[in-house]
Amino acid sequence: MEVEVKLRLKDSTAHQKLSNILSPYHKQTLFQENIFFDDKDSKLSSNSAVLRLRFYNLNSHCILSLKAKPTISDGISRVQELEEPVPLATATESVAKPQFLGQIDSKIMKMVKQEYGVGDEFVCLGGFKNVRAVYEWKGLKLELDETIFGFGTSYEIECESLEPERDRKLIEGLLEENGIEYDFSDVSKFAVFRSGKLPGWVKNL
């Protein structure tokens, strides 16, 4: 089970301000491209499952993941997640020809077929790019995201956590002390992508 704090930032100004504040704690910046798949009958989506190939740093390597049974409430996301590395050539070929995805020998693909009844007729849903700056701050690994969709850009700070309520308060304190406008994230990036529009800004804290 992956548990994360997810707080949405209002705009690019808030993102830049937080980036500047956290700069002494910066560890690395990751350039990610996320590509999603389903079958022609949308068996995964209809069961709240997400199959993704994530390419890192201009195709240096790729990770296959399956997320299932997601919930998100009060800025805390919980989801079952499995991840496996995939040969870069195989992943790249699967984007161009999704049927090759079904030929990958992996635990994830076996689960997709056995638990969700998906055959080899995969379709590529498209995806989005993400620039993720990683920081180590007060014992937390913070991930500051700039997510580029085909219809706009969103900004978010995330933190994987064993004590999400405590860590959310710490992050909220950082934002509030520095006058950075934020809200609890209430949908995943994948859900935003599939909706075709950015969430409206209605601060409801």
Side-chain angles (χ1 to χ4, degrees), residues 28-43:
Q28 63 176 327
T29 296
L30 302 171
F31 298 90
Q32 305 169 337
E33 183 169 9
N34 302 280
I35 306 296
F36 300 90
F37 300 85
D38 206 334
D39 77 340
K40 59 184 180 61
D41 297 318
S42 301
K43 289 178 182 174

Side-chain angles (χ1 to χ4, degrees), residues 29-186:
T29 296
L30 302 171
F31 298 90
Q32 305 169 337
E33 183 169 9
N34 302 280
I35 306 296
F36 300 90
F37 300 85
D38 206 334
D39 77 340
K40 59 184 180 61
D41 297 318
S42 301
K43 289 178 182 174
L44 294 175
S45 296
S46 63
N47 284 283
S48 300
V50 176
L51 184 65
R52 180 190 71 199
L53 285 173
R54 171 172 283 174
F55 296 86
Y56 284 85
N57 297 336
L58 302 176
N59 295 347
S60 68
H61 66 285
C62 184
I63 300 293
L64 174 69
S65 71
L66 177 66
K67 295 191 175 190
K69 299 179 180 179
T71 64
I72 186 166
S73 177
D74 295 333
I76 297 174
S77 166
R78 293 176 170 85
V79 63
Q80 294 180 5
E81 181 176 36
L82 293 175
E83 292 186 331
E84 293 178 287
V86 176
L88 186 58
T90 302
T92 302
E93 192 170 29
S94 296
V95 175
K97 299 177 180 178
Q99 65 269 25
F100 282 97
L101 196 66
Q103 299 174 18
I104 296 176
D105 183 18
S106 77
K107 292 180 180 179
I108 287 176
M109 294 312 300
K110 288 177 182 176
M111 181 177 293
V112 165
K113 294 176 181 180
Q114 294 172 1
E115 294 195 14
Y116 296 97
V118 175
D120 291 327
E121 296 185 12
F122 288 92
V123 295
C124 180
L125 304 177
F128 53 83
K129 295 180 180 180
N130 189 55
V131 181
R132 170 166 289 175
V134 181
Y135 307 88
E136 290 183 7
W137 174 82
K138 291 191 176 182
L140 304 180
K141 180 181 178 182
L142 302 182
E143 297 173 336
L144 183 58
D145 287 349
E146 177 184 8
T147 307
I148 302 102
F149 300 99
F151 44 84
T153 302
S154 69
Y155 307 92
E156 196 172 38
I157 184 166
E158 300 184 355
C159 176
E160 192 166 347
S161 176
L162 296 176
E163 298 184 60
E165 289 80 8
R166 181 203 65 181
D167 294 342
R168 185 188 62 200
K169 288 181 180 179
L170 277 174
I171 300 169
E172 286 186 275
L174 172 68
L175 299 175
E176 291 169 2
E177 288 168 10
N178 290 281
I180 297 172
E181 290 192 74
Y182 72 96
D183 199 353
F184 294 156
S185 297
D186 54 8

